[in-house]
Amino acid sequence: MKQRTLAIIKPDAVAKGVAGKIMARIEEGGFTILAAKLIHMTDAQARGFYIVHKDKPFYASLCSFMTQGPCIPMVLEGDNAIARWRDLMGATNPANAAAGTIRKDFASSIEANAVHGSDAPETAAFEIPYFFASLEIHPR
């Protein structure tokens, strides 16, 4: 089943200069990138995006981290895209991520973990339009 998910190459990965390598892995993984852009989130934008975590102890530091530099949100499409993208990303904590996953290879901590991905269809339905207008997404 074709599915869409949001992916973000986070500020740590952009700063390290590995965004191109991550995008290549995405394409090699059989995903189609339908939309992508380089942005620098404001604090208000980060807080709105991560509102689901507002009551968690890491919320403020996550928002601060996501505003420290540019990031690259993308819309990915593919069969079972949400689960497959999460598999390719690897565990949230790179110390627990499987060999060959993006987080194992490019992340440096549980917070500076290189990439984000929607965790469910309902999450993707909120996250994709948070960053992209329908006219910005290639119709494929």
Side-chain angles (χ1 to χ4, degrees):
M1 171 183 83
K2 287 269 188 205
Q3 193 176 52
R4 291 181 179 179
T5 189
L6 183 85
I8 300 175
I9 300 174
K10 293 183 176 182
D12 59 313
V14 172
K16 288 181 192 174
V18 296
K21 290 178 182 178
I22 292 171
M23 290 176 126
R25 291 234 191 136
I26 289 167
E27 291 181 328
E28 289 162 6
F31 297 93
T32 301
I33 300 171
L34 299 181
K37 57 185 165 185
L38 181 71
I39 66 168
H40 194 146
M41 272 196 265
T42 65
D43 184 64
Q45 290 166 331
R47 288 182 180 280
F49 182 70
Y50 287 109
I51 193 74
V52 68
H53 299 304
K54 71 178 176 159
D55 295 325
K56 296 185 178 147
F58 60 83
Y59 178 66
S61 65
L62 174 61
C63 293
S64 177
F65 166 71
M66 288 302 292
T67 61
Q68 74 183 15
C71 63
I72 304 171
M74 297 173 284
V75 178
L76 308 183
E77 185 177 73
D79 292 331
N80 201 21
I82 293 170
R84 287 182 44 246
W85 171 234
R86 294 190 69 77
D87 287 345
L88 183 58
M89 286 191 306
T92 303
N93 184 343
N96 300 331
T101 62
I102 290 170
R103 287 180 172 150
K104 187 64 160 187
D105 294 343
F106 301 114
S108 56
S109 71
I110 196 165
E111 187 169 86
N113 63 8
V115 288
H116 165 88
S118 304
D119 62 3
E122 299 77 22
T123 311
F126 167 78
E127 292 181 343
I128 291 170
Y130 194 87
F131 292 106
F132 296 97
S134 60
L135 292 175
E136 295 178 296
I137 301 171
H138 190 278
R140 289 210 82 141

